[in-house]
Amino acid sequence: MNVNQSAPPVPPFGQNQPIYPGYHQSSYGGQPGPAAPATPYGAYNGPVPGYQQAPPQGVPRAPPSSGVPPASAAQVPCGQTTYGQFGQGDIQNGPSSTAQMQRVPGSQQFGPPLAPVVSQPAVLQPYGPPPTSTQVTAQLAGMQISGAVAQASPPSGLGYGPPTSLASASGNFPNSGPYGSYPQSQAPPLSQAQGHPGVQPPLRSAPPLASSFTSPASGTQMTGPPVPPPPPMHPPQQPGYQLQQNGSFGPARGPQPNYESPYPGAPTFGSQPGPPQPLPPKRLDPDTIPSPQLNELPPQQKTRHRIDPDAIPSPIQVIEDDRNNRGSEPFVTGVRGQVPPLVTTNFLVKDQGNASPRYIRCTSYNIPCTSDMAKQAQVPLAAVIKPLARLPPEEASPYVVDHGESGPLRCNRCKAYMCPLMTFIEGGRRFQCSFCSCINDVPPQYFQHLDHTGKRVDAYDRPELSLGSYEFLATVDYCKNNKFPSPPAFIFMIDVSYNAIRTGLVRLLCEELKSLLDYLPREGGAEESAIRVGFVTYNKVLHFYNVKSSLAQPQMMVVSDVADMFVPLLDGFLVNVSESRAVITSLLDQIPEMFADTRETETVFAPVIQAGMEALKAAECAGKLFLFHTSLPIAEAPGKLKNRDDRKLINTDKEKTLFQPQTGTYQTLAKECVAQGCCVDLFLFPSQYVDVATLSVVPQLTGGSVYKYACFQVENDQERFLSDLRRDVQKVVGFDAVMRVRTSTGIRAVDFFGAFYMSNTTDVELAGLDGDKTVTVEFKHDDRLNEENGALLQCALLYTSCAGQRRLRIHNLALNCCTQLADLYRNCETDTLINYMAKFAYRAVLSSPVKTVRDTLITQCAQILACYRKNCASPSSAGQLILPECMKLLPVYLNCVLKSDVLQPGAEVTTDDRAYVRQLVSSMDVAETNVFFYPRLLPLVRTKSPLDSTAEPPAVRASEERLSSGDIYLLENGLNLFVWVGASVQQGVVQSLFNVSSFSQITSGLSVLPVLDNPLSKKVRGLVDSLRAQRMRYMKLIVVKQEDKLETLFKHFLVEDKSLSGGASYVDFLCHMHKEIRQLLS
């Protein structure tokens, strides 16, 4: 079967099959999705229908890419990602054109100078002459500029053209970043755009296309790297093209609500220009270019020209463009190698033979055919796989297929499972495996005739022949000791030392568990959960509780020999909640009273995990331990730790020891837990150093989670802890899981990142796996690939469900292969690339100095962009920075990773914080890393434009320049939620939001917004609730006042600015990247 052919309309899966109990969802592929408005630009890589049209609705903006956020300083558990909150663009991988884009003489106004040239690979289908790149102009501080002539004008429907370029004459840029300072004298030469009146469809191997930007300096085409901005300024008041505030270029969109009034004292960004004029050919001296608002600058700055931050690629713009462009129609997975919409776009998925991007996202959907080509490009080939991802309610869960005792059909040689990629031959009597090409017999009970196209006539009645994702019921051969598993158990293990009792934690937890036990995860329509529960409390010794239903009162048994841990009772330790309800309630009432007067401050840790694992082993079931722990385990016992916190090691070769576990005890313990299917979730409540790097080893290797509530206080942290606990207990988990990723001949999986254990090189072993966790897999070539066949991936996860059923979940994905680098760069996904690079770096800090890790990332990024520049972009001056369209956000996002707490900690970041974030990021999905590294900044209250009461406000860029003292903003990164209040916010707004009469009366650090009955209060609280619902963890709210001491913490998340810990601003980093690329090219 041809992988590329899309599925014909067919009977829905809904009919119940005699052999497949379990297909009851109706209308699987048959229904058409909602008709989407025709976009002016065609699909990501599809044909480009709309190119020669009249001006499209809205604005053609700078094409997209994808977003990633910065590491937090105060680590607050992160909320839950959704499938996309805001979307991205009018153009995804924009078209290519032979025409360079020119100025439109009188018809349209164009936007601000965008500095880098973002060059975009040509779209795949249509053929024609290769596109060239339009070079871009940008304001540069104190740089020499050579004028350029724009010749013909473009067709009036086109809002943008080929590569965006940033120029620099010598690689010397004004810079104040950590990369040394660049002299402020020279500027790059400017490139000239040659005009061409028409646009032709791109050639398959054509150089990738790019966005272009125009300079407001009349008649000048220039390019140049960004320069750290002085306070924001107006563009020159003169005839020219109108600047837009969003980093986009193209016909102006009218006033932009997101950039209304600037920071105190700063004039607004965009002033109204006169009518557009054709550009006269002339050479310009930099000093003759009207300087932005000369009269408003200090004298020494008057002759300098700086890069407008709006002139460099904007994550916000790309996200918005993709959302507008691709959020309206369903993403149909029938075609091989399609790049999905960005994670920030809300879209529906229709499975027609390839796994949904909710399950698998790749760094590139077009893989180089040879390893030489892959080495040349340096683009990592990786997939971020989330096997049990939760789907939105509109999408059906994977069908469960039951093949009875014979079990699922597999290839005899490579053991790949039957999937839509397999080819049936000889009238359907045999099939050829598309992974290893082995020819296999079809068992008689599975035989079916083929139609005239060579497809089985029952293909659309069988999920495994027509869907990208589905499940098989596993036979007894797939079970441990050839015996079907028992339902899993949950064991709650509570620290009852002095610290835990004093803070009120134990009382709060016991109260919550009484009701929470009614919400244990259950299968399908089951009336009650099959999961059994047990309870242990501990300090220096362990207390086990017998809660058998026949007892009137719970019984406690103490084990004080922690060096040789055993479980003192079997019968009555793990019980069914509904049967033992009265005894459990009695126990939870008694625990806080029993230990109320304790003076025991020391705790043990490893023996507690050992005890839980032994209990599961004795009960012959898998399960999960919920550990609630408060302090460094210093009591005499296996796994005893000492305080080794030492900030002096930061920036030395020994810094890596801070991330490594103190002792090997925990690795050994984790290995035993994985063998038993015992997953550990750890809730930490430290008031000082607890050595998260060591305590998190067992959760990390067993597929568990770590939650951290520093300096826990019931009144401040209760809501966050209980919300995380409820979600953690209720979420669906697969136990005792093994995952293997198979690939077609030519590539193989070589490296894995995430929270799991591996005892060999192929099997990812997970004691537990939930719907939030991802496994990131890197692939390398071991042979040449073939363009016609593409490259295939199959991820198979064997696991025990919450009801104790053994299942196999299968995800299949077919990718394209290319012999032209341009095709690789045209089909990359920056968000996934950053997710991989962050995980790679965060693992590398265990073995290399942090500085080496940072340098490795910068070098790799420079090599990726230099290879593009050398092999795919049109020839142009070396002074230009040209970025591939799909990767134009790579520099800004990479800079966020480099500035994160793990790689560049500020003075206030503790060693525990860094270790916590490091293990947290290791299993994050793409949407979570996106907002974690590049936080969302949303204007809540604007003086000039009142908020629409329903829609989420449009985000603005994460920079202090975007803040206005008359406004209120909300910032979120998946772990933290800040409300920033400007000093000159109107009194009425302060009253309706905070119920106080003036700015000075607002409590700084407030963590709850008062519940008030007015539209503004309801709107803001509703927005906060909806953001929390999207994230994996509950985000604690902190109110920050302008000029307050907490503002330093808030500014840490404004990632486009220079950071206090020495991280470069976006503008500086772009200059530095340019310099690195030029060195590689020369």
Side-chain angles (χ1 to χ4, degrees):
M1 147 191 182
N2 174 1
V3 188
N4 275 324
Q5 83 194 25
S6 56
V10 289
F13 266 138
Q15 304 100 335
N16 259 335
Q17 310 278 326
I19 335 175
Y20 307 84
Y23 287 18
H24 26 264
Q25 295 100 323
S26 63
S27 70
Y28 148 68
Q31 287 163 338
T39 67
Y41 301 106
Y44 218 159
N45 286 320
V48 202
Y51 261 49
Q52 280 89 314
Q53 296 170 354
Q57 296 295 313
V59 198
R61 301 182 201 116
S65 21
S66 19
V68 185
S72 70
Q75 308 307 353
V76 183
C78 75
Q80 145 190 351
T81 54
T82 165
Y83 293 107
Q85 230 10 64
F86 35 108
Q88 289 92 21
D90 298 313
I91 316 144
Q92 216 16 349
N93 285 0
S96 71
S97 93
T98 7
Q100 306 284 25
M101 293 300 124
Q102 287 80 31
R103 309 298 137 252
V104 183
S107 58
Q108 292 170 327
Q109 297 175 313
F110 282 71
L114 265 213
V117 168
V118 178
S119 98
Q120 154 61 348
V123 186
L124 284 180
Q125 268 90 340
Y127 294 85
T132 55
S133 66
T134 308
Q135 272 66 22
V136 179
T137 66
Q139 290 167 300
L140 280 187
M143 297 193 165
Q144 290 169 288
I145 293 148
S146 55
V149 192
Q151 289 151 0
S153 65
S156 72
L158 291 170
Y160 73 117
T164 332
S165 47
L166 251 208
S168 107
S170 55
N172 296 334
F173 311 117
N175 175 8
S176 53
Y179 307 104
S181 65
Y182 306 101
Q184 292 219 328
S185 56
Q186 283 185 303
L190 286 153
S191 69
Q192 156 161 345
Q194 288 117 10
H196 186 300
V199 175
Q200 280 117 25
L203 184 65
R204 189 184 170 101
S205 60
L209 176 63
S211 345
S212 74
F213 315 92
T214 334
S215 159
S218 157
T220 316
Q221 284 264 71
M222 52 183 160
T223 53
V227 177
M233 311 176 255
H234 280 320
Q237 288 273 13
Q238 55 148 35
Y241 306 110
Q242 178 178 341
L243 278 178
Q244 276 174 240
Q245 297 323 22
N246 45 21
S248 76
F249 114 100
R253 285 192 291 185
Q256 285 276 19
N258 3 359
Y259 297 99
E260 204 98 44
S261 106
Y263 213 28
T268 59
F269 266 84
S271 50
Q272 291 303 112
Q277 310 267 320
L279 296 177
K282 58 176 173 173
R283 288 187 71 79
L284 282 180
D285 178 276
D287 290 334
T288 65
I289 298 172
S291 195
Q293 298 307 90
L294 279 180
N295 53 348
E296 293 180 22
L297 291 178
Q300 73 276 18
Q301 287 184 336
K302 288 199 177 170
T303 55
R304 200 178 288 165
H305 308 284
R306 53 182 280 277
I307 282 196
D308 181 343
D310 275 344
I312 52 183
S314 156
I316 302 306
Q317 192 57 48
V318 166
I319 284 167
E320 191 186 324
D321 287 345
D322 190 73
R323 190 200 215 173
N324 294 340
N325 216 28
R326 306 197 67 195
S328 53
E329 350 187 309
F331 177 70
V332 181
T333 70
V335 181
R336 180 175 87 186
Q338 285 182 99
V339 184
L342 300 186
V343 282
T344 40
T345 297
N346 234 330
F347 60 99
L348 270 182
V349 178
K350 288 205 158 173
D351 185 340
Q352 291 193 359
N354 282 297
S356 158
R358 307 201 201 290
Y359 295 123
I360 306 183
R361 274 187 179 265
C362 296
T363 52
S364 178
Y365 288 79
N366 206 331
I367 295 184
C369 281
T370 64
S371 59
D372 290 348
M373 193 171 153
K375 280 185 194 125
Q376 188 183 358
Q378 288 284 312
V379 176
L381 304 175
V384 178
I385 304 174
K386 196 176 184 184
L388 297 179
R390 287 185 311 281
L391 302 180
E394 312 83 71
E395 294 175 22
S397 299
Y399 289 86
V400 181
V401 180
D402 184 358
H403 279 313
E405 288 189 13
S406 61
L409 187 55
R410 307 175 69 176
C411 167
N412 293 330
R413 184 197 288 160
C414 71
K415 301 292 183 239
Y417 293 86
M418 177 52 67
C419 66
L421 309 168
M422 304 291 193
T423 315
F424 287 87
I425 54 175
E426 296 179 22
R429 286 187 294 280
R430 305 174 91 184
F431 71 91
Q432 180 165 21
C433 172
S434 29
F435 293 88
C436 69
S437 304
C438 175
I439 290 177
N440 302 268
D441 290 330
V442 173
Q445 73 274 15
Y446 198 77
F447 172 79
Q448 186 53 272
H449 294 286
L450 308 185
D451 65 13
H452 65 285
T453 64
K455 217 178 170 66
R456 281 174 57 124
V457 296
D458 65 348
Y460 292 101
D461 298 332
R462 290 185 178 271
E464 76 274 22
L465 298 182
S466 52
L467 292 179
S469 302
Y470 43 88
E471 292 198 322
F472 291 119
L473 283 188
T475 58
V476 76
D477 305 334
Y478 291 87
C479 303
K480 260 189 198 159
N481 310 323
N482 279 359
K483 180 164 112 184
F484 282 113
S486 311
F490 282 0
I491 304 178
F492 295 90
M493 316 188 90
I494 306 167
D495 176 349
V496 289
S497 64
Y498 175 72
N499 278 335
I501 298 291
R502 179 184 57 83
T503 56
L505 168 65
V506 174
R507 189 172 297 281
L508 176 70
L509 175 59
C510 290
E511 205 49 51
E512 176 63 25
L513 284 176
K514 289 185 209 169
S515 56
L516 186 54
L517 293 175
D518 290 330
Y519 297 97
L520 299 176
R522 63 193 76 178
E523 283 288 290
E527 284 188 20
E528 60 177 49
S529 175
I531 292 173
R532 292 168 296 164
V533 297
F535 301 88
V536 173
T537 56
Y538 67 94
N539 39 45
K540 263 178 26 179
V541 297
L542 276 76
H543 322 105
F544 292 79
Y545 297 93
N546 183 344
V547 283
K548 200 174 179 179
S549 56
S550 55
L551 296 174
Q553 282 294 322
Q555 294 173 347
M556 171 165 137
M557 297 184 188
V558 181
V559 176
S560 50
D561 181 8
V562 288
D564 184 18
M565 188 40 70
F566 66 98
V567 181
L569 76 158
L570 291 180
D571 190 30
F573 178 62
L574 294 177
V575 296
N576 179 296
V577 176
S578 54
E579 289 171 12
S580 298
R581 161 75 59 204
V583 196
I584 291 173
T585 304
S586 168
L587 170 67
L588 293 171
D589 284 335
Q590 290 176 40
I591 287 175
E593 307 309 326
M594 253 188 301
F595 298 100
D597 301 322
T598 186
R599 285 287 168 267
E600 184 55 74
T601 55
E602 293 189 354
T603 56
V604 294
F605 188 72
V608 184
I609 295 175
Q610 181 86 34
M613 184 192 66
E614 297 290 350
L616 294 176
K617 192 182 276 182
E620 296 188 342
C621 68
K624 185 183 267 200
L625 312 181
F626 295 84
L627 247 85
F628 304 89
H629 189 80
T630 59
S631 56
L632 193 69
I634 53 172
E636 271 315 319
K640 171 185 175 180
L641 301 178
K642 59 179 191 290
N643 186 336
R644 53 162 187 169
D645 190 16
D646 186 0
R647 289 195 61 86
K648 292 201 237 10
L649 296 182
I650 292 179
N651 293 327
T652 68
D653 284 353
K654 289 192 175 166
E655 183 172 5
K656 57 182 179 240
T657 59
L658 297 175
F659 296 112
Q660 297 164 352
Q662 267 189 54
T663 148
T665 309
Y666 290 97
Q667 270 111 327
T668 313
L669 183 56
K671 193 172 163 182
E672 292 171 28
C673 286
V674 171
Q676 184 47 48
C678 166
C679 174
V680 179
D681 279 0
L682 174 61
F683 291 79
L684 281 172
F685 305 86
S687 52
Q688 54 203 29
Y689 178 75
V690 289
D691 199 352
V692 172
T694 305
L695 298 189
S696 64
V697 166
V698 179
Q700 175 79 5
L701 291 176
T702 57
S705 307
V706 179
Y707 298 83
K708 178 165 161 285
Y709 310 88
C711 305
F712 179 82
Q713 292 175 305
V714 169
E715 55 280 9
N716 291 340
D717 301 299
Q718 162 178 348
E719 195 181 353
R720 176 159 71 100
F721 163 55
L722 294 181
S723 172
D724 286 340
L725 176 63
R726 287 171 194 144
R727 202 168 173 282
D728 198 55
V729 168
Q730 293 172 34
K731 66 186 172 192
V732 174
V733 182
F735 293 96
D736 209 359
V738 183
M739 182 179 117
R740 183 176 279 197
V741 178
R742 294 180 173 85
T743 54
S744 54
T745 312
I747 53 168
R748 64 194 166 92
V750 292
D751 208 353
F752 299 83
F753 303 82
F756 52 77
Y757 175 73
M758 291 186 81
S759 56
N760 57 37
T761 56
T762 53
D763 294 338
V764 173
E765 298 173 47
L766 302 123
L769 176 68
D770 60 54
D772 300 337
K773 299 276 189 313
T774 64
V775 176
T776 301
V777 187
E778 186 183 3
F779 303 97
K780 290 258 162 74
H781 288 75
D782 55 9
D783 202 349
R784 191 185 169 85
L785 291 166
N786 165 325
E787 267 189 291
E788 191 182 331
N789 298 339
L792 315 177
L793 315 178
Q794 184 178 79
C795 163
L797 177 78
L798 174 65
Y799 71 100
T800 301
S801 73
C802 293
Q805 200 175 47
R806 203 70 176 145
R807 292 184 175 183
L808 280 154
R809 180 169 288 202
I810 312 295
H811 298 296
N812 304 289
L813 185 63
L815 304 173
N816 286 328
C817 295
C818 58
T819 52
Q820 302 289 334
L821 283 165
D823 289 330
L824 164 68
Y825 283 103
R826 192 179 293 120
N827 292 280
C828 286
E829 227 236 341
T830 304
D831 288 335
T832 312
L833 200 54
I834 288 291
N835 179 286
Y836 164 83
M837 290 172 106
K839 289 172 182 176
F840 175 85
Y842 280 17
R843 186 177 68 182
V845 296
L846 290 171
S847 52
S848 306
V850 172
K851 182 178 185 313
T852 311
V853 175
R854 291 166 47 82
D855 292 345
T856 305
L857 284 183
I858 292 172
T859 307
Q860 181 170 18
C861 179
Q863 284 174 326
I864 291 172
L865 298 176
C867 172
Y868 174 80
R869 172 64 194 263
K870 184 176 171 188
N871 298 288
C872 308
S874 317
S876 58
S877 134
Q880 281 183 318
L881 172 57
I882 300 186
L883 304 171
E885 177 51 43
C886 292
M887 290 189 188
K888 66 179 175 186
L889 297 184
L890 187 61
V892 62
Y893 287 156
L894 183 71
N895 189 36
C896 296
V897 175
L898 294 171
K899 294 200 301 191
S900 65
D901 292 336
V902 173
L903 298 181
Q904 194 160 33
E908 74 297 337
V909 181
T910 66
T911 306
D912 274 348
D913 282 337
R914 296 177 74 196
Y916 173 67
V917 171
R918 198 192 75 77
Q919 60 79 32
L920 195 61
V921 169
S922 70
S923 52
M924 272 188 183
D925 71 7
V926 180
E928 285 176 288
T929 51
N930 173 286
V931 77
F932 180 70
F933 288 111
Y934 191 96
R936 292 170 66 193
L937 183 62
L938 306 170
L940 287 185
V941 178
R942 311 209 76 155
T943 32
K944 302 228 176 104
S945 57
L947 271 193
D948 166 14
S949 59
T950 51
E952 191 175 283
V956 294
R957 293 169 70 165
S959 165
E960 194 175 343
E961 281 195 348
R962 309 293 176 178
L963 302 177
S964 154
S965 65
D967 298 341
I968 298 178
Y969 297 82
L970 187 144
L971 182 142
E972 64 122 352
N973 76 338
L975 293 187
N976 310 70
L977 199 55
F978 293 96
V979 171
W980 182 91
V981 186
S984 45
V985 168
Q986 290 167 358
Q987 195 177 334
V989 170
V990 171
Q991 184 70 52
S992 33
L993 207 49
F994 300 101
N995 206 20
V996 293
S997 55
S998 70
F999 173 79
S1000 57
Q1001 292 173 299
I1002 299 172
T1003 313
S1004 179
L1006 189 70
S1007 60
V1008 181
L1009 292 174
V1011 178
L1012 304 172
D1013 189 15
N1014 65 64
L1016 181 63
S1017 176
K1018 287 178 183 166
K1019 157 85 185 170
V1020 172
R1021 284 181 291 111
L1023 179 62
V1024 166
D1025 291 343
S1026 85
L1027 290 176
R1028 282 175 172 158
Q1030 291 163 28
R1031 302 292 171 215
M1032 302 301 175
R1033 301 191 175 204
Y1034 184 92
M1035 297 185 286
K1036 182 179 173 182
L1037 180 83
I1038 302 175
V1039 173
V1040 177
K1041 295 163 69 176
Q1042 188 179 351
E1043 307 299 332
D1044 185 79
K1045 59 181 185 299
L1046 271 176
E1047 202 183 23
T1048 320
L1049 177 61
F1050 172 76
K1051 286 181 180 174
H1052 178 76
F1053 299 99
L1054 299 177
V1055 290
E1056 289 199 17
D1057 300 338
K1058 194 172 173 190
S1059 70
L1060 289 173
S1061 56
S1065 69
Y1066 174 18
V1067 163
D1068 291 347
F1069 184 70
L1070 205 52
C1071 294
H1072 180 70
M1073 266 338 286
H1074 189 186
K1075 188 174 157 196
E1076 294 279 322
I1077 292 166
R1078 295 191 55 185
Q1079 282 174 347
L1080 287 172
L1081 292 174
S1082 59

